Amino acid sequence: MLYDLYNHISALLALGGPVVTVIAGLSVVALALIIVKIAEFQLCRIGNARNAREAASLWQQGRFAEAAACVAQPKSAAEKALRTTLTLLGRRTEKTDIEEQVSVLAMGDLHHFSKGVRALEAIAQIAPLIGLFGTVLGMIDAFQALQSAGNNVDPSALAGGIWVALMTTAAGLGVAMPVSLVVTWLEARLEAERVATETLTSSVLLKQKTTSNKAGIQPGQQLAYAP
């Protein structure tokens, strides 16, 4: 079965020429990136701010030790940002300094997690263009053959050349459409992570401002930020 599949794929690549081979290579790269990014997002809980929300809620209730423990081993950008916020509050750091430090760290984390997404977006954009380019080249070859044949035109041969040319566009679209859907999902998770990072840290700082007598993690419970 695998041998038959290999022969079928090889025949398609040979029929479509170098353009289809390039598109097939892009599809392999895209598949590898998709697997890596989905695994990374799941393991690092990108777009899933449940732990960070729980920590923020516990802090606002005055349960500082529990809040710190909830984000003691942060993975997502929101968890790291919240852990940094709680740590700096425990050191009586000024609110503006906390916001600046958390903003810098969050931007770095989000940039790190966005790596690979831009490459997928580029593949989704360029794959159909490469397919269209292959179709144009194929149509040029088909009509050159038509011109050379003169009055001895074989309609079946012409039709065969045209469908082979159109196959490159179909291959490009076949790669671009699923990759575009995955890119949209990944970007939505990144946006959710960014919003959670901003809103949760802001809510903790706002609560801290109104209840300054409860500020800080108790001595011995301060945490070092681990990006």
Side-chain angles (χ1 to χ4, degrees):
M1 182 178 179
L2 291 176
Y3 182 75
D4 292 338
L5 179 62
Y6 172 78
N7 287 337
H8 182 65
I9 293 175
S10 298
L12 287 177
L13 293 177
L15 189 62
V19 174
V20 173
T21 303
V22 171
I23 294 174
L26 288 177
S27 69
V28 173
V29 174
L31 180 60
L33 285 173
I34 287 171
I35 293 173
V36 169
K37 295 309 296 183
I38 289 179
E40 182 184 32
F41 275 36
Q42 292 298 111
L43 290 174
C44 296
R45 298 190 285 267
I46 301 302
N48 180 9
R50 182 174 56 186
N51 284 0
R53 288 195 186 95
E54 184 178 356
S57 177
L58 291 170
W59 179 271
Q60 292 172 355
Q61 296 172 32
R63 298 158 66 181
F64 306 125
E66 294 178 57
C70 195
V71 288
Q73 296 180 335
K75 292 185 177 181
S76 68
E79 292 173 10
K80 292 179 181 180
L82 194 60
R83 182 186 182 186
T84 303
T85 301
L86 302 188
T87 300
L88 295 176
L89 283 174
R91 297 171 183 170
R92 303 298 194 272
T93 307
E94 292 292 331
K95 179 175 179 292
T96 54
D97 293 336
I98 295 175
E99 290 176 340
E100 290 178 2
Q101 293 187 46
V102 169
S103 176
V104 171
L105 291 169
M107 286 177 61
D109 286 333
L110 291 173
H111 175 72
H112 168 74
F113 288 120
S114 67
K115 290 180 179 178
V117 178
R118 294 293 174 265
L120 285 172
E121 188 175 359
I123 290 174
Q125 292 175 353
I126 199 172
L129 295 179
I130 294 175
L132 181 60
F133 178 66
T135 296
V136 172
L137 292 179
M139 295 296 287
I140 290 173
D141 290 339
F143 282 108
Q144 281 182 337
L146 177 62
Q147 183 183 23
S148 301
N151 295 328
N152 301 318
V153 177
D154 185 356
S156 62
L158 180 62
I162 292 175
W163 83 258
V164 170
L166 292 175
M167 184 178 66
T168 61
T169 297
L173 292 174
V175 172
M177 288 186 292
V179 172
S180 296
L181 290 175
V182 174
V183 168
T184 300
W185 181 79
L186 293 174
E187 289 181 340
R189 296 289 292 266
L190 284 171
E191 179 64 15
E193 189 69 17
R194 184 190 65 80
V195 171
T197 300
E198 294 178 357
T199 56
L200 292 176
T201 54
S202 296
S203 66
V204 168
L205 292 174
L206 182 62
K207 180 68 175 179
Q208 187 67 20
K209 182 178 179 180
T210 59
T211 57
S212 58
N213 59 318
K214 295 182 180 180
I217 301 175
Q218 298 174 2
Q221 296 174 343
Q222 293 185 359
L223 299 170
Y225 181 77

